[in-house]
Amino acid sequence: MKDSSQKHIAIFASGRGSNAQAIIDYFKDNVTIKVALIVTNNKNAGVIQIAKDNRIPFDIISPAELKEEETILDLLDVYQIDLIVLAGFLLLIPAYLVKAYPNKIINIHPALLPKYGGKGMYGMKVHEAVTANKETETGITIHYVNEKYDEGEYIAQFRCQVEPSDSAESIASKVHHLEHEHYPKLIETLLS
């Protein structure tokens, strides 16, 4: 049972979990905000080990299970989730979940939306597109989630310069720095 003043976060992630780790570290000693659950669709995701290392319950769901309204809502209810944080989660969030958690599901995108968003635009694919198009800046967009990829209302954007000498890998490093610096703080602001 959680304290009524405590807020619970569920992190949904599909990959290695660097943003999940940054969020967990940020809230480790916070008495009012807790990462209560990690959900992944990838049985080989690095985020599973992060969950184990931090003694955070986790659940592995299939794309079909994500569409099972009762299953997912019951899972979130068990952990009394107040905010769902997408951190590299590659499945589209179904409409029932958006409706059940209005303005309580957020995502981080590794570009300045509306550029380089939408289905299939994630991770290195985004940074390669930024490089190929010779952009002079990029960054991150934190936004509310709706029923379409990367089309929810923007909450905040943070920028970094792209130098002519930058590779997709060096851009990824700059963007990860922005993600790890700003995402946890913004989560805290939304829950305060």
Side-chain angles (χ1 to χ4, degrees):
M1 208 61 186
K2 75 174 182 176
D3 176 318
S4 61
S5 66
Q6 192 176 56
K7 301 291 187 186
H8 282 186
I9 299 168
I11 297 176
F12 283 41
S14 298
R16 61 190 178 99
S18 70
N19 271 310
Q21 184 68 66
I23 293 163
I24 291 163
D25 289 346
Y26 187 85
F27 291 111
K28 197 167 259 172
D29 298 319
N30 191 309
V31 294
T32 59
I33 300 171
K34 173 185 174 183
V35 177
L37 176 66
I38 292 181
V39 175
T40 185
N41 63 304
N42 175 1
K43 66 180 177 18
N44 300 311
V47 76
I48 294 170
Q49 191 59 51
I50 290 170
K52 290 176 180 175
D53 291 346
N54 290 279
R55 295 184 181 89
I56 297 170
F58 66 92
D59 205 330
I60 302 168
I61 60 166
S62 68
E65 286 170 317
L66 183 61
K67 293 175 182 163
E68 294 172 11
E69 186 170 343
E70 199 170 307
T71 302
I72 300 302
L73 293 179
D74 285 353
L75 173 67
L76 297 172
D77 195 46
V78 165
Y79 291 97
Q80 299 176 286
I81 299 304
D82 298 290
L83 183 71
I84 298 169
V85 174
L86 307 188
F89 189 66
L90 300 182
L91 299 180
L92 186 65
I93 298 300
Y96 78 81
L97 195 50
V98 174
K99 189 175 176 185
Y101 283 83
N103 288 339
K104 299 284 185 212
I105 308 173
I106 62 170
N107 186 32
I108 189 164
H109 188 75
L112 298 171
L113 291 174
K115 288 184 175 183
Y116 311 113
K119 185 171 174 57
M121 288 304 287
Y122 60 87
M124 288 305 286
K125 293 177 183 186
V126 173
H127 308 311
E128 287 162 0
V130 167
T131 305
N133 289 310
K134 299 185 179 0
E135 296 286 353
T136 57
E137 68 173 5
T138 189
I140 61 172
T141 303
I142 301 168
H143 63 91
Y144 290 110
V145 171
N146 66 12
E147 295 88 350
K148 296 187 175 150
Y149 284 109
D150 303 324
E151 290 187 17
E153 179 188 347
Y154 303 165
I155 303 167
Q157 290 186 315
F158 300 95
R159 301 167 189 278
C160 60
Q161 293 305 119
V162 177
E163 304 301 332
S165 59
D166 274 329
S167 64
E169 290 76 15
S170 64
I171 292 169
S173 178
K174 291 179 180 183
V175 168
H176 275 124
H177 178 77
L178 288 177
E179 290 173 343
H180 299 167
E181 179 182 356
H182 295 289
Y183 206 20
K185 290 178 191 168
L186 195 130
I187 292 164
E188 184 175 38
T189 300
L190 289 177
L191 288 173
S192 297

